[in-house]
Amino acid sequence: MKEKEFVIIGAGQCGLSAGRHLQKAGKEFVILDQYPEVGDGWRRHFESLKLFTPAAYCSLPDLPLALSPKTRPTKDQIADYFSRYAAHFELPVHNKNKVTQITKAGDKFLVNSTFEEILTQKVIIANGFCQVPVIPKWAEELTIPHIHSSHYRNPISIKGKRVLVVGTGNTAAQIIAELTSYFEVHWSQAKKPKYKSLNLFGKNILWWDHKFNRLDKQVKKKNLNKDTPIYLYNDLKSKIKKARRHPQVIKANGKKVTFGNDKTMEFDFILFASGFQPDFSFIQIEGFENNQELLRAQQGISKVKGLYFLGIPYQRTRSSHLIYGAQKDAKFIISKAIASG
């Protein structure tokens, strides 16, 4: 059985940043990641995905992203950058190595994964809070093809002529914008979305947020659960306007779905852009809070001594969900973990 001082779970922006900070501090650690290659967590997103964030705010510690600062990176550019980052600093990433269980072994942690068992003093959970796709219960009554947005790659993923997209956020809007050129698209929303321009006076809104020091501010508790606006850019708004709007679906039967206004329609295909939820069932430790709100309130520091989290939405600031904020959160968490002895 191996023994390390730190085990980091996940090789995304949080895990790689945490690894770099531990490396600079001269600590012994390993990063366990379930994907075949570093960056695959980004590569699996739909093909046309581009970040809202300009490249200027997408760098990890000590190695800038080699793109023009104003450029919005594609998901593959971010994936390749993460892969290059891990190789450049020779970070000890063990790929294809999914963590299956974390338990306590005396005053240490026993981490079980696909290929190894590791005894460690401290664990950094950095594999994100979006592990389990959310699909409504009524989908069980469908007899037509349906997928979650996490399995969507491009319009070829869709079958039939009449398509229903379920969801209110940016993912739903971007996929709809692609589909309206090929299908009769309908859009079911639980509530009316809010729209916001991605650019203001020729500058990305993140540039303005940074200029006025909003990126590093904490989110007020009353704003934590507010829906993110749909960011408009290029001709996105004109494309999504082609989709026919409907209220929330209340039930389904075969090909038919019934909306909140009691109207029933038949569809050939349904795509759920309905978000994700975290899954920490592999953490089998007495006293673990397993509660996102509590972990956020504690800034990612669990009540279980030696257990830390990164990637919580709005963990410490408004930008915690961005690469810009995630790498700052990683620095904070590592400093706390090292200081705890």
Side-chain angles (χ1 to χ4, degrees):
M1 183 184 298
K2 298 178 182 178
E3 188 163 352
K4 299 286 183 182
E5 186 176 357
F6 287 84
V7 169
I8 299 171
I9 300 171
Q13 58 259 34
C14 297
L16 294 175
S17 297
R20 177 59 180 153
H21 288 302
L22 286 174
Q23 187 180 59
K24 291 166 72 175
K27 300 297 181 180
E28 188 181 30
F29 68 98
V30 65
I31 303 174
L32 306 181
D33 191 73
Q34 65 177 321
Y35 295 110
E37 294 184 23
V38 174
D40 281 353
W42 280 91
R43 291 186 185 96
R44 67 187 179 92
H45 292 301
F46 60 92
E47 292 175 3
S48 63
L49 178 65
K50 293 179 71 173
L51 278 69
F52 294 134
T53 315
Y57 305 102
C58 293
S59 292
L60 300 177
D62 305 318
L63 185 68
L65 174 61
L67 289 174
S68 168
K70 295 181 180 180
T71 301
R72 288 173 50 212
T74 67
K75 53 103 176 179
D76 287 332
Q77 286 173 327
I78 291 296
D80 292 344
Y81 166 58
F82 284 1
S83 180
R84 182 169 68 93
Y85 187 90
H88 179 85
F89 291 113
E90 298 181 341
L91 296 176
V93 181
H94 294 191
N95 292 109
K96 300 181 182 179
N97 208 1
K98 184 176 182 178
V99 172
T100 55
Q101 187 182 63
I102 301 176
T103 55
K104 286 301 293 280
D107 59 350
K108 296 183 180 180
F109 298 94
L110 178 61
V111 179
N112 287 275
S113 64
T114 306
F115 297 115
E116 52 196 329
E117 289 185 337
I118 303 174
L119 203 60
T120 183
Q121 297 173 30
K122 295 169 186 178
V123 177
I124 315 290
I125 308 290
N127 62 338
F129 276 62
C130 298
Q131 291 95 1
V132 181
V134 173
I135 295 180
K137 186 74 174 174
W138 55 261
E140 295 176 4
E141 305 302 322
L142 293 170
T143 58
I144 56 173
H146 53 279
I147 61 172
H148 189 267
S149 58
S150 57
H151 295 113
Y152 172 78
R153 297 295 174 264
N154 53 48
I156 298 174
S157 304
I158 307 300
K159 301 175 182 178
K161 297 179 179 180
R162 181 182 285 179
V163 178
L164 176 65
V165 176
V166 178
T168 307
N170 282 283
T171 298
Q174 290 176 59
I175 292 175
I176 285 169
E178 284 194 332
L179 298 184
T180 52
S181 297
Y182 308 97
F183 305 94
E184 178 190 324
V185 181
H186 295 249
W187 189 2
S188 170
Q189 303 157 300
K191 59 181 72 173
K192 187 176 180 180
K194 296 180 180 179
Y195 296 98
K196 187 175 184 178
S197 176
L198 188 60
N199 296 289
L200 183 63
F201 301 117
K203 300 282 189 181
N204 186 288
I205 57 171
L206 269 298
W207 185 90
W208 291 105
D209 284 343
H210 186 253
K211 182 177 178 63
F212 291 103
N213 299 316
R214 289 195 288 260
L215 289 180
D216 296 317
K217 289 184 177 179
Q218 287 187 324
V219 179
K220 293 180 180 178
K221 190 173 182 178
K222 65 179 182 179
N223 295 328
L224 282 173
N225 296 316
K226 284 188 176 181
D227 292 329
T228 302
I230 291 176
Y231 292 109
L232 300 174
Y233 56 91
N234 300 337
D235 57 351
L236 180 69
K237 191 169 187 178
S238 64
K239 288 183 176 180
I240 61 178
K241 275 187 173 181
K242 296 177 182 178
R244 186 173 171 182
R245 310 292 179 88
H246 301 278
Q248 187 173 12
V249 175
I250 56 174
K251 63 180 179 179
N253 183 13
K255 294 183 177 182
K256 296 179 180 180
V257 301
T258 302
F259 300 101
N261 57 5
D262 290 327
K263 184 171 184 177
T264 298
M265 290 187 69
E266 288 190 0
F267 293 95
D268 301 313
F269 195 97
I270 297 181
L271 186 144
F272 295 101
S274 40
F276 299 83
Q277 62 186 18
D279 177 16
F280 295 115
S281 58
F282 63 93
I283 303 175
Q284 298 175 12
I285 299 173
E286 185 178 352
F288 169 54
E289 40 278 74
N290 197 13
N291 183 297
Q292 179 173 292
E293 302 302 322
L294 276 177
L295 290 170
R296 180 192 290 119
Q298 296 157 195
Q299 297 189 314
I301 303 172
S302 173
K303 294 176 181 177
V304 177
K305 185 178 180 182
L307 184 62
Y308 302 88
F309 289 80
L310 285 166
I312 303 170
Y314 305 116
Q315 179 164 333
R316 296 181 59 246
T317 69
R318 295 181 64 204
S319 63
S320 287
H321 63 294
L322 306 175
I323 296 173
Y324 169 88
Q327 53 94 15
K328 290 192 171 190
D329 289 349
K331 183 177 182 179
F332 169 82
I333 284 293
I334 294 305
S335 69
K336 292 292 184 181
I338 291 175
S340 69

